[in-house]
Amino acid sequence: MAGIYLHIPFCKQKCRYCDFCSFPNRLDVAEAYMACLYKEIELRGKQLEKTVFDTVYFGGGTPSVIDPKYLYGAMKQIKKCFRLAPRPEITIELNPGTVSESKIALYKRAGINRFSVGLQTAIDEQLLEVGRIHNVRDYLYCASLLKGENFSADIMLGLKGQTKEDVRKTVEVAAASGAKHISMYALTPEDGTPIYTDYLNGELPDGDEVRALYDYGYALLKEKGYARYEVSNFAKKGYESKHNANYWARGEYIGLGLSASSFLCGKRFTNTTNLDDYMKCILSGFLPVMESEDVSGDDAKFEFVMLALRTAQGISAEKYRAAFGSDWKADFADAYKKTAQYFEEEGDYTRIKEEYLYVQNSILAEYMY
C-alpha cells in the first residue's frame, strides 16, 4: 500500500490544544496556496509515476473551511498526476461548524468517500472551553448530511472536568449518529498551546483518571459493536481506516502541502512549516522540503516494532524477518525479556494483551535504543 496526504493549513480559529501547522482567518491566501499545492502535486507526480496509491487523505487545519471547489480541483489534479488504485479510500477531515449540504455534495462528486468528523465531546461547555467552533447540534446536522456514508467521529479524553458520564454521552451520540468508525484518543497538552497552562496548573485529569475514562469508553464502544484495531481507533467490521493502517504497517506515503511529512524508499522528509517559504519554493519550481533523514538499521527495526505493537493484531515475526532478515525477539532480547508478561501469542503474531494496550508507550520505551 501507499498513501497520499494533503495538508490544508486553514481554520476559523485555533483550538486551545492545537499545535498543528494551521492559520486562523487566513482564507485570503487560500487560492494562492491551493494553486501551489496543485503545482506540488504535479512535481511529485512526475517523480512517482510508477507508484500506485491506495489512499488519499485531506487533513489540516480544517479542510472543510475552504471553498470546496479547491478540494475538487485538488482531486482532479491528483487523478491527473498520480496513479490511483481502482477503488481508493479518499478521506477528508470535517469540522461540524463548517459544513453544508452543497459542500458534501461536491466532495462526493470529487470522489471523496470517507469523512472524518471532529466531534471531540458531546458536552457543549467542554467544546467551548477548548475553543471548538461547533456545538453538538452542528455535529448532528453534519452527521445527518452524511447518513449512509462511511464516516468517522473523533472523541477526545482528558478534557477539563470530564467525567465518565460525559464520555458515555459522547460515545452514545457518536454511535447513534451512524459513525462507522470512532477515534478515541487522549488530549496531549503541548508546550506552547493555551491548554498547556491548564495542565501546569493541575486543571486537567491526570494520567490515571484519563486511563479510567479510556477503559470506560472502550467498554462502551465494544458493547456497541466497535472493535479496537489500534490503541485509539475503533470500527465496525470492514470500516477500518486504510490510510492510517498504512502508517502503522510502516508503508510508504507522500505528504503534500505545508509541513507535510513523507516516507519513501526508507527516507523520511518534511516540507517547510513557513507559509511564505512554501509558496516561494513552489513558484520557483523547487520542492519545499525542509529536512530529510534516512531511517535504517536499528531505527527502522524500532519503528517497525513500535508501530506494529500499537495495533490489536500486533507484530508478525514473518513480516519482520522479511523486512530485516532477523528475528525481532532476538534483536530486542533484553527488552522482550523485561516485557514478555505483557504479551500474548497467536500464530505468527505477538501482541500486547488487551488490558495493557492503552499503556503501550511505557512498554515500548524499553525497546528504544
Side-chain angles (χ1 to χ4, degrees), residues 7 39 45 54-55 69 77 79 83 152 155 175 195 207-208 212 222 226 249 251 272 278 294 309 314 339 354 364:
H7 190 71
K39 181 63 177 178
D54 304 87
T55 65
K69 69 182 182 183
Q77 184 76 332
K79 291 172 184 176
R83 293 178 62 194
S152 174
I155 293 175
I195 210 165
D208 290 338
K222 189 174 182 180
Y226 294 89
T272 179
Y278 172 81
D294 289 317
L309 289 177
T339 58
E354 187 177 87
L364 293 176

Side-chain angles (χ1 to χ4, degrees), residues 4 23 40 69 76 188 205 230 254 259 273 283 292 298:
I4 299 171
F23 302 95
E40 187 185 5
K69 69 182 182 183
K76 186 176 180 180
T188 303
E230 190 269 346
I254 183 68
S259 78
T273 58
L283 292 173
S292 176
D298 290 344

Side-chain angles (χ1 to χ4, degrees), residues 292-344:
S292 176
E293 63 172 334
D294 289 317
V295 184
S296 59
D298 290 344
D299 290 336
K301 291 178 179 180
F302 171 70
E303 271 194 8
F304 190 105
V305 170
M306 180 267 294
L307 292 169
L309 289 177
R310 283 184 60 89
T311 68
Q313 187 178 40
I315 183 171
S316 163
E318 183 179 341
K319 291 179 180 178
Y320 184 93
R321 191 175 295 108
F324 304 109
S326 57
D327 180 76
W328 78 272
K329 291 178 183 176
D331 287 347
F332 295 91
D334 290 342
Y336 182 74
K337 185 177 180 180
K338 292 179 183 177
T339 58
Q341 71 267 30
Y342 301 114
F343 295 121
E344 59 186 11

